Amino acid sequence: METVVKSHLHESLLTLTLSRPAFLNALTLDMASQLKAELLQAQDNDQVRCIIIKGDAGHFMAGGDLVYFAGTLSMSEQERHQAGLEAIALVHETISLIRSIRKPVLASVQGAVAGFGVSILAACDLAIAGADLKLTSAYCQVGLSPDGGFTYFLPRMIGEKRAKAVTLLNDVYNAEQVLQMGLVNQVVPVEQLPENTLLLAQRLAQVPQHALAQAKGLINQSSGHSLEQQLQAEQESFAGCMLTPDFAQRVTAFVNKRKSS
């Protein structure tokens, strides 16, 4: 199997590069499988404190590989339907892992971001973009409805009416428009994207891991909770964080610094 997700671990930062440059890093089942495997390994690797997902050769991901879908046209309707269910089940596992992994996941995006690429971008905890970013839904344009949590994340992040416009009209949005929508946290010149990605990832890696994981989980689950349920979850999480070595060390350091000033 060709390696289409390149993995590089350096000083607690794991970079996963989507790499099919000749096809703008379009998603294949092999890519989904490799991304899932890398995320599962990172989940259990204590050396990893932050995960960066980026694309190769100046683009993030131009959606799914239509060559695969064209190959299903010779199947019977039942076979084609089953193939679709199995393929989407696999790619959805990667989205679930991005959300559930107890480590921050940072998207570093530029160039083409379409289809499932938008879903990955939305699923990540934070996102930084190069100024050359061009984002579009692309699903309906080829006769498909969205996947990858696209219809879950976008209405919550940018509002229902705007999410419908992005999905149904297939307009192309530039980096500043995507920033205004709230789909990315920061836009930088393309030549500064690697350096700024590294700086942001290093900041995330320095946050106490247990507290970060708890905060990530609380925010992820909040949209499905009532206020009372979320308050209860926050109470339990806060009390649990008070038992960690990180809390004891940082509070002690703060108090000692205050006494000495």
Side-chain angles (χ1 to χ4, degrees), residues 11 16 24 45 88 108 112 123 173 182 185 209 213 215 221-222 234:
E11 294 182 352
L16 302 178
L24 303 185
N45 187 345
I88 300 306
S108 180
Y173 298 88
N185 301 95
Q209 286 188 290
Q221 72 186 27
S222 65
E234 287 182 350

Side-chain angles (χ1 to χ4, degrees), residues 25 47 116 124 139 222 245:
N25 307 319
Q47 289 183 291
F116 193 75
C124 289
Y139 285 106
S222 65

Side-chain angles (χ1 to χ4, degrees), residues 21-35:
F23 306 95
L24 303 185
N25 307 319
L27 181 74
T28 62
L29 295 186
D30 284 347
M31 182 181 285
S33 179
Q34 290 176 31
L35 183 57

Side-chain angles (χ1 to χ4, degrees), residues 187-260:
V187 173
V188 299
V190 174
E191 63 273 14
Q192 296 177 18
L193 182 60
E195 178 185 357
N196 281 270
T197 297
L198 178 61
L199 291 172
L200 187 53
Q202 288 171 336
R203 289 182 62 189
L204 288 168
Q206 291 167 5
V207 178
Q209 286 188 290
H210 181 77
L212 187 149
Q214 290 298 110
K216 171 177 175 172
L218 285 167
I219 293 170
N220 285 349
Q221 72 186 27
S222 65
S223 62
H225 275 189
S226 66
L227 174 59
E228 290 73 20
Q229 289 173 320
Q230 193 66 8
L231 289 172
Q232 179 64 33
E234 287 182 350
Q235 179 183 5
E236 293 173 359
S237 178
F238 189 99
C241 286
M242 290 178 65
L243 304 179
T244 63
D246 277 326
F247 172 76
Q249 292 167 5
R250 297 210 173 196
V251 168
T252 300
F254 175 83
V255 172
N256 289 340
K257 182 178 179 181
R258 188 172 181 180
K259 286 178 180 179
S260 63

Side-chain angles (χ1 to χ4, degrees), residues 27 63-64 66 69 81 84-85 87-88 91-92 114-119 136-152 154 163-164 166-170:
L27 181 74
L66 295 182
F69 293 106
H81 185 254
L85 290 175
I88 300 306
V91 301
H92 280 182
F116 193 75
V118 180
S119 296
T136 187
S137 166
Y139 285 106
C140 294
Q141 191 172 1
V142 295
L144 292 170
S145 59
D147 64 348
F150 190 103
T151 59
Y152 176 88
L154 260 68
K164 286 179 178 175
V166 171
T167 308
L168 304 179
L169 299 178
N170 295 299

